[in-house]
Amino acid sequence: MVSATEPLFDDLYRETLLEHYRSPRNRGRLEAPTHHAEGLNPVCGDEIRIDLRMDGDRIAEIAFDGQGCSISQSTASMMSVEILDRPVEHAMAVQQAFEAMLTAGAEPSAILGDLEALQGVSKFPVRIKCALLAWKVLAESLKSPNKEETHD
Ligand code: ZN
């Protein structure tokens, strides 16, 4: 049985999503991030924190941490894979293609990599926020260079 609140995914996509959820890539914190942000999707209770180490305009290191539904956490994992060691410009292009797929019904672009697995979310408007949270936090982190040490 599939719960009524869980988007229906095709089996291959579902496998990809669950695989990232169970074995997230680039999960954790960076020792010396140059950028950091965190965000919340209160509708679903998803939380994402992102650390970046920028080298010029290249995303030299990324680590995310958080909790929440499989869509929010697996998107963060997939996103980190696609943008690691890439210029910000590339990350923005992936973000645009991802948003177009989810909100405008665009065909998945090749630059999405595993993120294509989230295509089914487009049919579930309330879950689109889950899939866009990591991107929102990424954009926020890029605008938030560490100017001084912060203490939790
Ligand atoms: Zn969620």
Side-chain angles (χ1 to χ4, degrees):
M1 292 293 287
V2 177
S3 137
T5 57
E6 282 299 311
L8 291 164
F9 289 98
D10 137 326
D11 286 349
L12 177 67
Y13 284 175
R14 187 178 191 87
E15 274 308 303
T16 305
L17 189 133
L18 289 177
E19 202 272 321
H20 275 270
Y21 183 59
R22 292 182 188 128
S23 310
R25 318 297 196 275
N26 306 302
R27 190 177 172 99
R29 310 300 290 267
L30 297 181
E31 271 183 31
T34 59
H35 294 66
H36 172 81
E38 33 203 274
L40 189 68
N41 169 24
V43 178
C44 186
D46 306 318
E47 294 173 27
I48 299 272
R49 292 184 294 276
I50 290 179
D51 285 347
L52 299 176
R53 187 173 64 78
M54 299 299 293
D55 179 9
D57 74 342
R58 188 175 63 93
I59 300 167
E61 282 186 277
I62 177 169
F64 83 94
D65 198 0
Q67 55 187 1
C69 70
S70 58
I71 293 172
S72 66
Q73 304 302 308
S74 62
T75 300
S77 171
M78 294 175 192
M79 177 187 84
S80 72
V81 171
E82 297 308 320
I83 68 174
L84 177 62
D85 203 23
R86 297 287 203 146
V88 169
E89 203 171 89
H90 178 82
M92 294 298 106
V94 177
Q95 175 172 21
Q96 278 175 18
F98 188 67
E99 287 194 14
M101 176 178 80
L102 289 193
T103 63
E107 283 300 307
S109 157
I111 63 171
L112 288 174
D114 282 355
L115 287 162
E116 183 183 341
L118 277 304
Q119 190 182 13
V121 175
S122 64
K123 300 188 200 82
F124 298 84
V126 75
R127 306 309 294 279
I128 291 175
K129 283 193 173 127
C130 303
L132 294 182
L133 177 62
W135 293 101
K136 202 176 112 185
V137 178
L138 174 72
E140 204 53 46
S141 67
L142 287 166
K143 287 187 288 185
S144 312
N146 290 343
K147 291 197 175 73
E148 51 195 313
E149 289 294 319
T150 52
H151 299 277
D152 287 329

